[in-house]
Amino acid sequence: MGLSTGQGLVVMKACDLRDEGKSAEEIVEETKRIAPMVNTSFVPDRLDYLYKGGRCSRMTMYGANLLKIHPMIEMKEGQLVADKKLRGSMEKCIASYIDDLAKMYPNYDQTRCFITHSYADESVIEVARKKVKELFTFDEVLETVAGSVITGHCGRNTLGVLFITE
């Protein structure tokens, strides 16, 4: 029901609960409750890899790449679906994406979030850092680089912001 960074958020929350002295049963109950509440979403730079993996048509790929359309892809009920289409440079799209996240999830666990990317350009990562800092009040913002499986499915320069919603 989630990608590796989302699962990492749940594991880290379990560690927090352990450190608070919660019992194993309480930790299991809470992690089961929050697992579906992890915002798992990202924005790929290009659709080439999604096309090669059979996740979009050739026409969709060509049109999106030509018109600089970047879909916001979200995990919904265990499936990755294209939700919103953002248009423009990756920097502009990432700023819009994070604006949308702040509107969609006004209530969230403020403990931590992840900015996860597949070797994104520094300018794209910097936009994400600034927007997250501007719009959210996380105690901790962690940055991770996606592994080869995610990068192989989405391509270089994909970026997502993941956190637990309420």
Side-chain angles (χ1 to χ4, degrees), residues 36-105:
M37 298 165 62
V38 173
N39 164 59
T40 300
S41 61
F42 56 92
V43 178
D45 187 11
R46 298 178 54 87
L47 299 188
D48 303 54
Y49 287 84
L50 294 173
Y51 164 70
K52 290 174 185 176
R55 289 176 175 78
C56 74
S57 70
R58 181 185 305 262
M59 187 62 80
T60 298
M61 176 195 65
Y62 284 141
N65 290 345
L66 180 68
L67 297 172
K68 294 187 179 225
I69 295 172
H70 308 272
M72 174 182 166
I73 299 177
E74 274 191 293
M75 177 72 70
K76 290 187 178 178
E77 298 178 16
Q79 299 293 316
L80 289 172
V81 295
D83 188 28
K84 184 174 182 181
K85 293 175 179 70
L86 306 165
R87 189 155 187 253
S89 69
M90 265 306 274
E91 290 84 359
K92 179 182 172 189
C93 290
I94 291 300
S96 295
Y97 158 66
I98 297 171
D99 284 338
D100 290 344
L101 290 178
K103 290 174 193 161
M104 290 165 50
Y105 303 109

Side-chain angles (χ1 to χ4, degrees), residues 128-152:
R129 286 184 197 121
K130 286 180 180 175
K131 281 304 243 184
V132 166
K133 186 176 182 179
E134 173 190 332
L135 299 174
F136 294 92
T137 55
F138 292 110
D139 297 334
E140 182 176 35
V141 178
L142 303 167
E143 190 177 312
T144 56
V145 176
S148 59
V149 172
I150 298 299
T151 302

